[in-house]
Amino acid sequence: MVLLQRPHILLLLIDTHQFLQCWIAFGSANEEGQQQEEFSEELLVKPLPDHKLLAHFHFQSSAPPSTSNGCHHHLFPKAISQLVQKFRVKEMELSFTQGRWNYESWGGFDPISSSNAKPPGVELWAVFDVPQHHIDASWKNLTHTLSGLFCASINFLESTATYSTPEWSFPPASGNVRYGTFPCEAVCTENLTPWLRLLPCRDKAGIALLLDRPSLYRGFYHSQRLHLTSTESSSEGIDSGIILEQTLTVVLQPNSERAIEVHASEKHVQPSWSLSSIFGKQVSGRCVLAKSSSVYLLLDWGLVAELKFPNKENGKSAANGLTSENFWSNPSFELSVNPDRIFLEESSSHSKSLSILYMFQVEKYSESEPFDIGLMWKVPVAWLCQQTPLHASRFFMGSGNERGAIAISLKSTQFTEGFMSANSKDGSCELRVDVFQVVPWYVKVYFHSLRVFVDQQPRAVSDFIEKIHVSPSKDKMSPGVMEVVLKLPCRVNTAALTIEFDKGFLRIDEYPPDANQGFDIPSAIISFPNFHASMVFLEDDSLNRSPLLSKFQEKCPVMSYTEVLLVPLTTPDFSMPYNVSTIKCTVFALYFGSLLNVLQRRVAEEERFLKAKAAKKTGRLPLLLSKLSAKLRGRRREPLHSPPSSSSFINSKLVLKVILVAGLAVGWQYFFS
């Protein structure tokens, strides 16, 4: 009995020893004052010119290095930590997007549009800290893990025919980066629920309480993004742990009935809104595990310029000297809640006006006094958001199911015109544009057919393309990749790139279930390396504690995504296999049914059945008529006989059936052989 108990005692001692080691490691980290796990939640609300509203949720979780944090996590999601340690992910970004970002109306030269405007469907890129020959295996395992974690079809990106290796045009490009996109992925609540499970309070408390599913998915644009940065496995000597950013960007349409009633005859009517009217809920306090919880209202420089001069068209001017102290009481609008702090943008090299940021702290609100900010417009106002240097669009040229061409068009914007006039000196000003495009293998692209048009005139490729890198596609092996660096003059109005292609043929088992809908070509990425989007506000201690505002101060490259193209390929008639199977099953059913009927039928029983059937058909009237006729003739009545059905007739009929079935079987076998 003592011998049986010794293994259990030994296991108990081992578990106790491991627990004490973890506890001592965590306690020593606390005593040494090292970095601890932190979580913050923030929401930024921004009015848009086309009567819509932008809501940008930002959640950030950070964990110190595993060597100093022990064996357990308190706030940081354990699944993400295991993913980083298992596959040695240095940096990763995953996005689920529904809809397309409207660069013309919603802007493209601000930190939100540059970082959170994503292509439709799923986009995934990752940088690994593993040897070069292990990257593909790590990517495959990562896609399967993320597919199960977020309940999505990310595992379709495991094949080499779906992902690519950018060289230098993609912003985080390096030798260890992999990029893949799946445009036809449908985004729904099944992807949002696992994303919310990574938050400490999920959607039960704090700002995440506003994430109402019907309100989110009826918007014009919805993008949930997960950005991961890890320095645990780097060899640079900097070991700051893991930083996980979870952002949700939504463009919604506020209820504008009240604004229409008040300003029915006015133009450029902006709808009044509140958090409760948009999301159907109010914020009843912060998440108890959050270090900071804030809500921001951002008025960009275009709107601020119009609010300073509301009657500029009539030659009238508003009150002079609007500052951060009195701007919240502007006569053009009214806030339902007084802001706790107001921040002015420090400087802006691309505009004459500055953006204004209102800060509301959620910590001082509770369930008895919930937080619900509202903005009511008093006068109509119209403005424009800041555009990208060049507006990019992509489309198909040609017709038919055999050949075609892909065209990328670049058009000058107002911002580009201002930049030209300020920086052009003797026509030596140049505008650099990086183009990154991935084309599936079944679209056979001819890279030698690349042509450049500047101001609607064909030009030599070598005059405007500084550097180019192409990777031709291989059938069922890898997609075609094109990376181009354009050097355009600053005063360019339009520019275009065209490239020809042939449509390939697929095997019948390679077609998707919705093949008649068409095949998607992922969005092309247009980036401007010489331009960086950032918003720097006046120095303040609260800015350093805000991860969202700290992110705005970082210089992120300006980039935009083109449309997803839908190319129709030659598809077979998928109803033919069904028709052939139906006819085959019908013929076999008739054959075997007739054969079994002939083999199992008994002749004597059939004769008795026919006699009984004939007797049933003989009614009383024929019987009475026969009796009456016999009496009149004075003869004896003869019994009524059933229809003649002799055994010889039945035997001949049986033989004919057997011969017919055998003939059908022989003909069927001869036809299909």
Side-chain angles (χ1 to χ4, degrees):
M1 188 67 181
V2 176
L3 294 176
L4 294 176
Q5 291 179 353
R6 286 183 179 178
H8 299 281
I9 297 174
L10 183 60
L11 290 175
L12 181 61
L13 292 175
I14 294 175
D15 295 339
T16 306
H17 178 68
Q18 293 179 352
F19 175 77
L20 289 176
Q21 284 184 343
C22 297
W23 182 262
I24 292 172
F26 179 71
S28 62
N30 290 337
E31 293 176 0
E32 295 175 3
Q34 296 182 0
Q35 181 186 1
Q36 300 301 317
E37 295 183 357
E38 295 180 355
F39 171 73
S40 63
E41 53 178 5
E42 293 169 296
L43 167 64
L44 185 138
V45 185
K46 175 185 175 183
L48 297 175
D50 56 348
H51 302 176
K52 296 180 178 60
L53 185 69
L54 170 67
H56 178 69
F57 295 84
H58 185 273
F59 306 95
Q60 179 170 312
S61 304
S62 60
S66 58
T67 55
S68 62
N69 193 40
C71 302
H72 301 282
H73 291 281
H74 301 274
L75 298 178
F76 197 85
K78 186 177 180 180
I80 301 299
S81 176
Q82 293 177 343
L83 183 143
V84 172
Q85 297 176 4
K86 178 69 175 178
F87 307 118
R88 300 182 65 182
V89 179
K90 187 175 181 180
E91 189 176 3
M92 184 194 73
E93 183 174 290
L94 173 66
S95 63
F96 298 87
T97 307
Q98 181 181 11
R100 183 174 180 268
W101 184 266
N102 190 347
Y103 290 94
E104 295 181 351
S105 300
W106 304 339
F109 201 89
D110 57 276
I112 295 180
S113 60
S114 298
S115 302
N116 298 275
K118 296 299 178 181
V122 173
E123 184 192 39
L124 172 65
W125 60 265
V127 180
F128 300 92
D129 189 17
V130 296
Q132 192 71 26
H133 59 280
H134 290 163
I135 295 179
D136 292 334
S138 300
W139 170 267
K140 180 178 179 180
N141 296 330
L142 178 65
T143 55
H144 281 269
T145 304
L146 293 175
S147 179
L149 185 61
F150 291 98
C151 191
S153 303
I154 311 176
N155 58 320
F156 285 103
L157 299 176
E158 68 164 350
S159 174
T160 56
T162 57
Y163 68 86
S164 59
T165 305
E167 293 292 335
W168 33 261
S169 60
F170 195 67
S174 64
N176 295 351
V177 66
R178 293 294 183 269
Y179 175 84
T181 178
F182 193 56
C184 58
E185 175 71 12
V187 183
C188 60
T189 57
E190 294 182 355
N191 310 123
L192 181 62
T193 301
W195 185 84
L196 291 173
R197 288 177 182 172
L198 301 178
L199 302 177
C201 296
R202 298 190 179 183
D203 58 343
K204 306 302 181 182
I207 296 178
L209 189 65
L210 298 175
L211 298 178
D212 180 56
R213 272 67 165 184
S215 301
L216 295 178
Y217 287 100
R218 68 166 174 256
F220 294 88
Y221 178 81
H222 170 274
S223 178
Q224 64 184 58
R225 170 175 162 268
L226 184 143
H227 186 268
L228 175 67
T229 304
S230 173
T231 57
E232 287 193 351
S233 57
S234 65
S235 58
E236 300 175 357
I238 302 175
D239 197 5
S240 59
I242 309 173
I243 298 177
L244 174 65
E245 294 181 36
Q246 295 178 247
T247 61
L248 179 63
T249 307
V250 190
V251 176
L252 303 172
Q253 176 66 62
N255 187 8
S256 59
E257 295 179 358
R258 183 177 179 182
I260 294 176
E261 292 177 0
V262 177
H263 308 287
S265 61
E266 297 287 347
K267 191 179 180 181
H268 307 305
V269 177
Q270 291 294 329
S272 301
W273 53 267
S274 64
L275 292 182
S276 58
S277 64
I278 296 175
F279 300 103
K281 296 180 180 180
Q282 297 178 349
V283 181
S284 58
R286 68 179 182 92
C287 174
V288 295
L289 300 175
K291 182 180 179 180
S292 62
S293 180
S294 305
V295 176
Y296 301 95
L297 173 62
L298 177 63
L299 304 181
D300 59 4
W301 63 270
L303 177 57
V304 172
E306 293 296 329
L307 292 178
K308 284 185 177 181
F309 305 98
N311 298 323
K312 182 172 58 176
E313 297 179 357
N314 299 332
K316 299 179 182 180
S317 177
N320 296 327
L322 290 173
T323 61
S324 61
E325 286 76 12
N326 59 8
F327 194 82
W328 67 274
S329 59
N330 188 274
S332 301
F333 64 90
E334 180 181 354
L335 294 176
S336 61
V337 181
N338 294 337
D340 298 321
R341 297 292 302 274
I342 301 179
F343 302 103
L344 289 175
E345 192 176 1
E346 183 177 358
S347 62
S348 179
S349 60
H350 50 266
S351 62
K352 299 179 181 179
S353 183
L354 302 176
S355 302
I356 293 183
L357 187 69
Y358 299 89
M359 178 181 179
F360 305 88
Q361 296 180 355
V362 186
E363 289 87 351
K364 62 181 183 180
Y365 295 92
S366 60
E367 295 183 358
S368 59
E369 186 183 356
F371 173 75
D372 185 16
I373 180 179
L375 177 64
M376 184 180 68
W377 293 97
K378 298 180 180 179
V379 296
V381 61
W383 74 97
L384 294 176
C385 291
Q386 188 173 353
Q387 304 294 320
T388 55
L390 295 176
H391 176 68
S393 61
R394 190 175 60 163
F395 52 89
F396 276 132
M397 296 192 307
S399 60
N401 291 329
E402 185 178 0
R403 297 183 180 88
I406 301 176
I408 299 178
S409 175
L410 304 173
K411 295 183 180 180
S412 175
T413 58
Q414 295 180 358
F415 173 77
T416 309
E417 295 174 358
F419 175 78
M420 317 298 172
S421 59
N423 297 279
S424 60
K425 296 179 181 179
D426 301 332
S428 60
C429 177
E430 291 183 344
L431 179 63
R432 178 178 172 180
V433 182
D434 292 354
V435 180
F436 175 72
Q437 183 172 228
V438 180
V439 182
W441 63 268
Y442 44 78
V443 178
K444 314 294 183 180
V445 178
Y446 299 105
F447 294 103
H448 71 277
S449 64
L450 179 64
R451 301 181 63 188
V452 179
F453 296 84
V454 178
D455 293 334
Q456 301 180 357
Q457 297 296 329
R459 301 296 182 90
V461 176
S462 59
D463 295 341
F464 296 94
I465 294 183
E466 180 183 8
K467 187 167 55 172
I468 184 172
H469 171 262
V470 296
S471 177
S473 61
K474 297 180 181 179
D475 290 350
K476 307 175 186 179
M477 293 295 295
S478 62
V481 182
M482 182 182 69
E483 300 178 77
V484 179
V485 174
L486 293 175
K487 284 288 188 178
L488 302 175
C490 289
R491 295 189 179 276
V492 65
N493 293 323
T494 60
L497 297 175
T498 61
I499 188 169
E500 299 177 1
F501 66 88
D502 285 349
K503 300 179 182 180
F505 294 92
L506 282 72
R507 294 177 57 89
I508 191 171
D509 56 348
E510 295 174 348
Y511 285 93
D514 54 348
N516 293 321
Q517 180 184 357
F519 293 79
D520 296 308
I521 296 182
S523 301
I525 303 177
I526 312 297
S527 57
F528 306 92
N530 297 334
F531 298 90
H532 295 85
S534 62
M535 297 180 66
V536 180
F537 295 93
L538 297 177
E539 293 296 334
D540 190 87
D541 294 337
S542 59
L543 294 179
N544 299 328
R545 296 194 301 266
S546 173
L548 177 61
L549 300 184
S550 300
K551 196 70 178 178
F552 283 178
Q553 295 179 4
E554 299 178 1
K555 292 184 178 181
C556 58
V558 176
M559 57 189 303
S560 60
Y561 291 85
T562 62
E563 300 86 351
V564 175
L565 297 181
L566 190 65
V567 53
L569 296 182
T570 303
T571 56
D573 186 4
F574 293 99
S575 63
M576 287 303 297
Y578 172 76
N579 297 336
V580 171
S581 300
T582 304
I583 295 175
K584 184 185 297 184
C585 294
T586 304
V587 172
F588 271 99
L590 293 175
Y591 171 74
F592 284 105
S594 302
L595 183 62
L596 291 176
N597 189 17
V598 169
L599 296 177
Q600 293 183 358
R601 179 177 295 177
R602 298 180 181 179
V603 179
E605 292 183 359
E606 185 177 357
E607 291 180 355
R608 288 194 298 269
F609 174 75
L610 293 176
K611 290 181 180 180
K613 188 175 181 181
K616 290 181 180 179
K617 290 183 179 180
T618 305
R620 293 183 178 181
L621 183 60
L623 183 61
L624 294 176
L625 291 177
S626 62
K627 288 182 178 181
L628 181 60
S629 175
K631 287 183 179 181
L632 291 176
R633 294 179 181 180
R635 298 179 181 179
R636 186 178 179 182
R637 183 179 65 87
E638 297 178 357
L640 295 176
H641 298 283
S642 60
S645 56
S646 60
S647 60
S648 61
F649 175 76
I650 295 176
N651 293 334
S652 62
K653 188 176 180 181
L654 177 62
V655 172
L656 288 176
K657 285 185 178 181
V658 173
I659 294 174
L660 178 61
V661 172
L664 288 174
V666 172
W668 177 271
Q669 192 69 20
Y670 175 78
F671 178 76
F672 281 96
S673 62

